[in-house]
Amino acid sequence: MLTVPVRQLGESERRAVERLLDLDPFGGAQVAERVAARGLAWWRAEGRILGYGARRNLESICWLGGNLTPVLATEPAVAAFADLLSSEERLCSSIVGRADAVLGLWDRLSAYWGPARDVRPNQPLLATDALPAVAADPEVRRVRAGEVDRLFPAAVAMYTEEVGVSPLAEDGGRGYRRRVADLVRAGRAYARFVDGKVIFKAELAVVTRRTAQVQGVWVAPEWRGRGIATGAMAAVVRDALVQVAPTVSLYVNDFNLPARRVYERCGFRPVGTLATVLF
């Protein structure tokens, strides 16, 4: 029997949530960005933050929105979150976070929320706070506002290849295009163009005061194997460290050995393991 109930957290507990997020600046980056931008009021944050622990001793949290993301979730917290969530309809498109918590949640929720489209149990979480030792590609730059139309096809190709479904399927891509345009508008999208076409792209999909998290790294198929990725990533990391945040982080599928070699050359080192369950 669970002796510590899970509860939805409100703005009055924001400081306690922020203290927890500071303890896991890389694994909890996506949640930290949302809390910093919109607080804990669910009607503003487009999601809920659940808490586990006594009111004066918050131990673990779990973001429930488009994604389900546990942060510092102990085994008792995982069990408590799953007990609550098993009675609710699944609305999230994925479960993502530290591997032990994500896989623990999925063990308990799969009977209610399954089946999953894909489970990725081993995604190395990497970070760096040092400028890359390798030369940065001078052709990689931030994408300009008028270049969204050029970037969008590459973003769709990356998403489809990485996630396994097209972002155009649900609403013709309108929501995804807005996301891409927002990243460009915020100066968080990078690309290298050749003859007007994107041959490399990456975004700072999450930015907090502790880290800039890179996602959406993609090289055009016809340019793969030519060695452009290392210099291109070095350019992104250099700019992010100088202009955006004190560290740069990312996570990668364990089987993507070419990407892992690129990140190692750019100075990234392991800081944990994530897992993702895709629906």
Side-chain angles (χ1 to χ4, degrees), residues 97-139:
R98 294 280 181 175
D100 52 352
V102 167
L103 299 177
L105 281 170
W106 186 234
D107 282 344
R108 294 169 171 83
L109 291 174
S110 57
Y112 306 94
W113 285 8
R117 183 167 52 81
D118 193 11
V119 177
R120 301 177 182 180
N122 183 8
Q123 297 175 301
L125 177 62
L126 312 173
T128 182
D129 61 1
L131 294 175
V134 296
D137 185 342
E139 299 299 316

Side-chain angles (χ1 to χ4, degrees), residues 172-204:
R174 291 186 295 274
Y176 188 62
R177 184 183 176 82
R178 283 195 298 272
R179 170 63 173 164
V180 172
D182 287 345
L183 288 169
V184 171
R185 191 178 304 111
R188 288 161 55 170
Y190 297 82
R192 178 181 171 186
F193 295 86
V194 172
D195 296 329
K197 294 184 178 180
V198 174
I199 68 164
F200 167 87
K201 64 168 285 294
E203 293 92 38
L204 304 182

Side-chain angles (χ1 to χ4, degrees), residues 247-270:
T247 68
V248 179
S249 57
L250 55 83
Y251 59 99
V252 59
N253 292 317
D254 62 324
F255 52 79
N256 193 346
L257 297 181
R260 294 177 67 179
R261 286 193 290 268
V262 167
Y263 301 146
E264 184 176 3
R265 293 186 196 113
C266 290
F268 286 91
R269 295 294 179 265

Side-chain angles (χ1 to χ4, degrees), residues 1-73:
M1 182 176 179
L2 297 173
T3 57
V4 180
V6 171
R7 64 189 188 281
Q8 182 172 316
L9 304 179
E11 194 66 21
S12 64
E13 294 179 279
R14 181 168 177 170
R15 288 187 180 180
V17 169
E18 290 174 338
R19 283 194 293 270
L20 280 184
L21 290 168
D22 275 343
L23 297 175
D24 191 5
F26 304 122
Q30 294 185 27
V31 180
E33 182 184 54
R34 292 185 177 103
V35 170
R38 298 188 177 185
L40 271 67
W42 65 267
W43 58 88
R44 288 188 284 119
E46 299 178 350
R48 295 178 287 160
I49 291 187
L50 306 176
Y52 176 85
R55 289 196 174 273
R56 295 188 178 183
N57 185 29
L58 187 63
E59 298 177 30
S60 305
I61 59 175
C62 190
W63 162 265
L64 178 58
N67 302 319
L68 177 64
T69 303
V71 180
L72 296 178

